[in-house]
Amino acid sequence: MVITKSVLKENYLLENSIHLIKIYSPEIAKNCCPGQFCNIKVSCSDYPLLRRPFSICDTDGNNISFIFNIYGEGTKLLSQKKIGEEIDIIGPLGNGFNLKGDYNTAIIVAGGLGAAPFPFLIKSLPKDKKVISFIGGRTAKDVITYGMNNIIISTDDGSLGFKGNVIQLLEENINLLLSEKVKVFSCGPNAMLRALKEFCIKYDIVCEVSTECAMACGFGICQGCPIEAADKDGYYLVCKDGPVFDIRKVVI
Ligand SMILES: Cc1cc2nc3c(=O)[nH]c(=O)nc-3n(C[C@H](O)[C@H](O)[C@H](O)COP(=O)(O)OP(=O)(O)OC[C@H]3O[C@@H](n4cnc5c(N)ncnc54)[C@H](O)[C@@H]3O)c2cc1C
Ligand code: FES
C-alpha cells in the first residue's frame, strides 16, 4: 500500500452518465490485483473530510482507471478534476478476487456500477477460462458494458435485453450455467447480492462478491466498515478482510 500524489491523465464521460478517470500511478498499477480498491481524496481542501473508495477498474501497468456515477459531493468533485491535476490516492487496498480454482467459465454478475472491477478481472483471468458476463441495470441507461466479454443483459423495465433482474436472468440461463464448471464473480447492490447468495446456495455454485460500505481509513485502523460474518461470531472489516468475500461467509 502506498500514499501517492498521482497525476490525472484522462477524465471523460464513458457511456450514459458514467465517468471514467485515468490516473498515472505506476506504484499502484504495478502492484494491484482485480477487486482491490483505492481510497481517493476528492478535494484539495479538508472538505469532504473522508476519502472515497473506488474499485480499480483497469490498469495498463502505469495507469489505473476508475468509473463512477455522480451521487453526491465526492463524485461531483472527482468529475470536475482537470487533466494534469494531482490527486492524493491510497492504494492498492483490500484483498481482491481469487482467480484460481477448479472452474472453466468465469460468470460475471454485475448490477449497475458493480461493473467497475470487472474489466481488470476479465483481463487478468488465465487464458484457458471462458467468460460470460451477466449485466443488470434498472433501465438501459444503467447498464455498463465497458470492458466486458460475452454479454447477456437484463433491465428491470425491459428497455434493454431480458426484462427482469439479473438473478432472474441467471435462472433463465441455468442450463447453460449447470453445463459448465463455473465460478461466479459479482459486485452490485446489496439486494442483488442477497438474491445471488440464495441462488448460489440453491445450485451449489461457488461465488465471490465484492461488497461495499461507507469507509474512513480504508486499511483496518478505524474499525468503521464492519460486515457481519456468517461463518463465525462477529464481523469482518470490508476494507481489510474484503472487499471481496466468499458469498457464504458474510451476511449481506
Ligand atoms: C470497496 C468499495 C469500492 C467502490 N467502488 C466504487 C466504484 O468503482 N465506483 C463508484 O461509483 N462507487 C464506488 N464505491 C462507492 C463510492 O465510494 C462512493 O460511496 C460513491 O461513489 C458516492 O460518493 P459521493 O461522495 O459522491 O456520495 P456521498 O456524498 O457519500 O453520498 C451522497 C448520497 O448518495 C448515496 N450513495 C452513495 N453511494 C451510493 C451508491 N453506490 N449507490 C447509490 N447511492 C449512493 C448516499 O447514500 C447519499 O444519499 C465503492 C465503495 C467501496 C466501499
Ligand atoms: S475503513 Fe477503517 S477499518 Fe475499514
Side-chain angles (χ1 to χ4, degrees):
M1 178 192 93
V2 290
I3 305 174
T4 66
K5 288 213 187 303
S6 303
V7 177
L8 183 70
K9 302 285 279 189
E10 292 177 24
N11 181 357
Y12 59 89
L13 263 184
L14 182 66
E15 45 186 315
N16 298 318
S17 56
I18 308 302
H19 290 257
L20 184 147
I21 55 171
K22 187 186 264 192
I23 298 172
Y24 180 72
S25 185
E27 302 98 317
I28 296 176
K30 290 191 196 318
N31 294 300
C32 60
C33 66
Q36 287 191 296
F37 67 95
C38 293
N39 218 3
I40 301 183
K41 189 165 179 355
V42 290
S43 87
C44 306
S45 72
D46 289 341
Y47 177 80
L49 186 63
L50 295 181
R51 291 167 181 266
R52 298 293 192 267
F54 291 92
S55 299
I56 297 171
C57 178
D58 204 359
T59 170
D60 58 14
N62 284 317
N63 301 286
I64 41 177
S65 53
F66 305 93
I67 58 172
F68 59 93
N69 219 334
I70 298 180
Y71 285 113
E73 203 57 36
T75 43
K76 185 174 163 203
L77 288 166
L78 204 54
S79 73
Q80 293 166 348
K81 295 271 179 199
K82 302 269 180 294
I83 309 297
E85 222 177 296
E86 273 192 342
I87 304 187
D88 188 324
I89 309 180
I90 305 179
L93 297 168
N95 57 355
F97 290 101
N98 177 9
L99 305 188
K100 297 193 185 120
D102 183 22
Y103 64 100
N104 304 325
T105 304
I107 302 294
I108 309 298
V109 181
L113 267 159
F118 296 117
F120 186 18
L121 181 144
I122 289 171
K123 218 162 82 172
S124 308
L125 281 169
K127 292 289 165 263
D128 60 333
K129 309 286 188 202
K130 278 191 347 192
V131 178
I132 308 176
S133 309
F134 291 89
I135 315 289
R138 274 172 301 173
T139 71
K141 277 193 188 158
D142 305 306
V143 171
I144 303 172
T145 57
Y146 175 71
M148 299 286 191
N149 273 356
N150 221 352
I151 300 164
I152 308 179
I153 291 173
S154 71
T155 48
D156 296 354
D157 68 353
S159 50
L160 189 65
F162 171 80
K163 184 171 190 308
N165 66 46
V166 75
I167 309 304
Q168 292 166 331
L169 178 64
L170 291 176
E171 284 280 5
E172 282 285 307
N173 288 274
I174 191 62
N175 290 338
L176 171 65
L177 296 186
L178 295 181
S179 67
E180 315 249 347
K181 247 189 195 169
V182 301
K183 178 169 182 177
V184 172
F185 300 93
S186 183
C187 183
N190 280 345
M192 183 199 104
L193 297 185
R194 274 193 290 274
L196 180 63
K197 184 170 179 175
E198 267 182 40
F199 175 88
C200 289
I201 290 171
K202 177 175 164 192
Y203 292 108
D204 196 21
I205 292 173
V206 180
C207 175
E208 287 186 3
V209 286
S210 179
T211 55
E212 279 191 17
C213 72
M215 284 186 185
C217 71
F219 47 86
I221 304 295
C222 72
Q223 307 288 303
C225 60
I227 185 169
E228 191 179 346
D231 62 340
K232 62 169 193 177
D233 285 342
Y235 292 84
Y236 292 111
L237 291 178
V238 172
C239 71
K240 186 163 149 271
D241 305 313
V244 177
F245 295 95
D246 180 324
I247 201 166
R248 288 164 175 79
K249 288 193 166 181
V250 285
V251 178
I252 297 162

